[in-house]
Amino acid sequence: MRYGPSRKLPTFGHWLAGVCLFLTAWLHGVAVQAADILLTGAEESPGVQAFVQALSELRPTDNVRFQPLASLPAPGKLPASLRLILLDLPSLDWRLQESQGPATLVLRISRLQARQRLGSTQPAHLSLLWSDPPLSRQLQLIRRILPQARRIGVLFDEHSEFLLKELNLAAAPLNLQIVSERWDNTHDSRPLQTVLKNSDVLLGLDDPDLYNPKTAKNLLLSSYSRQVALVGPNVAFVRAGSLASSYSDQNDWLAILDQLLDQPPANWPRTLYPARFKVSSNAQVARSLGIEPLNDASVASALAEGERRP
């Protein structure tokens, strides 16, 4: 019986050489794709240094660095391939000088700050990552911790008035009523007293004209005297005496940046609320209002689960 020409099976050495070639090509591809990530702001504080270091550790194959705003050229003179991350409002003002330049992530900017600088426009080269919690999330938080509350009191001024439309749209499917009062002069307590009298809970908007260290005492004492809880606007107010708020901390922001930087800038969203968040509550305030102290992690988990469901 005759057989055709014999075929040699690949030896282990040939296989190993092939694997090495594949790994070399793959590692070369990773190196080529390493991103140049520049963070900038007016000052390089210890907090900024810690944030940049943490992002560097998350992305060891990328070139992650901070450069003070004052040392940068005009935005249009930066390489188009750069991933630019703005850390404060002065850096946003610098970036808005011209539309040319790399795609840009604006980290932790509030809705009011964006409105004051951009109006109702949305530059195509900017992706805005909101610092204030979504109004819909704050309403869901109220519904979970104060299930009997139906009338949601809201104070606003000329800067935060634009949020009322969104707030009413978010409240409607939850069968919640928004009771709003304009409060242009914080030295006049009548709008505050009116909204507290007609509401089951007061929802604080992230409006620093209304919610700041100078107004905190009046807001908190007035709401406490009427046994009306204040929810929001941020963690600082929870520590001072509001009942609770959702918020995103540095680890949440780092995780979001890590996800976005894995994507081509063309895929970055124009605006984004962080999907990762936590809940902070004030146990002493809860007790004074006759509310069981909250399990913050459990409440945050339930809210996140609700947001994941269609």
Side-chain angles (χ1 to χ4, degrees):
M1 184 178 293
R2 298 180 60 185
Y3 294 90
S6 63
R7 294 182 182 178
K8 291 184 178 179
L9 293 174
T11 65
F12 178 76
H14 289 137
W15 176 84
L16 185 60
V19 169
C20 289
L21 283 172
F22 170 78
L23 288 175
T24 300
W26 181 75
L27 289 171
H28 177 72
V30 169
V32 168
Q33 293 172 14
D36 190 15
I37 301 168
L38 175 64
L39 298 92
T40 188
E43 296 182 6
E44 188 176 7
S45 65
V48 167
Q49 291 174 349
F51 187 83
V52 174
Q53 178 62 32
L55 185 60
S56 299
E57 292 170 1
L58 270 180
R59 307 189 65 81
T61 62
D62 289 339
N63 176 27
V64 180
R65 58 196 169 89
F66 175 89
Q67 192 169 335
L69 183 62
S71 67
L72 289 178
K77 294 185 178 180
L78 294 173
S81 60
L82 190 70
R83 310 286 185 93
L84 184 61
I85 302 174
L86 308 183
L87 299 178
D88 55 22
L89 292 176
S91 61
L92 175 59
D93 292 336
W94 161 83
R95 183 65 184 91
L96 290 173
Q97 292 174 8
E98 55 188 38
S99 59
Q100 292 79 17
T104 304
L105 293 167
V106 185
L107 187 64
R108 299 181 68 177
I109 182 171
S110 76
R111 298 283 300 282
L112 266 70
Q113 289 168 340
R115 183 83 171 193
Q116 289 168 349
R117 281 164 171 77
L118 304 173
S120 57
T121 63
Q122 177 61 61
H125 57 283
L126 297 183
S127 294
L128 307 177
L129 310 184
W130 302 126
S131 61
D132 40 337
L135 297 176
S136 57
R137 184 179 295 160
Q138 296 289 75
L139 290 177
Q140 290 284 6
L141 175 63
I142 288 173
R143 200 164 80 149
R144 181 159 291 274
I145 63 179
L146 298 167
Q148 304 305 317
R150 287 291 175 266
R151 300 173 301 164
I152 314 300
V154 176
L155 294 162
F156 68 95
D157 64 6
E158 61 176 332
H159 299 125
S160 50
E161 185 175 7
F162 76 99
L163 293 171
L164 292 181
K165 181 180 179 180
E166 179 182 330
L167 190 58
N168 278 288
L169 287 173
L174 302 177
N175 294 318
L176 299 176
Q177 176 191 358
I178 301 301
V179 179
S180 59
E181 283 289 329
R182 192 180 189 98
W183 199 23
D184 289 321
N185 178 11
T186 55
H187 297 291
D188 180 0
S189 289
R190 286 175 295 179
L192 170 60
Q193 296 301 329
T194 298
V195 80
L196 289 173
K197 182 175 71 174
N198 296 317
S199 305
D200 302 317
V201 60
L202 179 61
L203 173 60
L205 301 179
D206 188 7
D207 183 342
D209 290 337
L210 304 184
Y211 291 88
N212 58 61
K214 292 182 179 179
T215 62
K217 183 177 180 180
N218 187 22
L219 281 161
L220 295 168
L221 288 179
S222 296
S223 61
Y224 180 80
S225 67
R226 287 188 176 269
Q227 290 290 283
V228 174
L230 169 60
V231 171
N234 50 49
V235 175
F237 257 82
V238 174
R239 288 194 288 264
S242 74
L243 175 60
S245 185
S246 63
Y247 70 101
S248 296
D249 65 11
Q250 175 167 302
N251 288 334
D252 298 326
W253 283 106
L254 286 167
I256 292 158
L257 279 181
D258 192 34
Q259 292 171 9
L260 290 174
L261 291 168
D262 279 340
Q263 304 173 25
N267 293 347
W268 289 351
R270 299 274 59 80
T271 65
L272 181 68
Y273 278 113
R276 289 181 50 156
F277 64 93
K278 296 175 175 64
V279 167
S280 176
S281 66
N282 188 314
Q284 183 177 349
V285 171
R287 282 192 293 268
S288 71
L289 294 171
I291 301 169
E292 285 291 322
L294 306 179
N295 182 325
D296 293 348
S298 177
V299 172
S301 178
L303 291 177
E305 180 61 29
E307 290 183 6
R308 283 192 289 269
R309 288 196 300 266

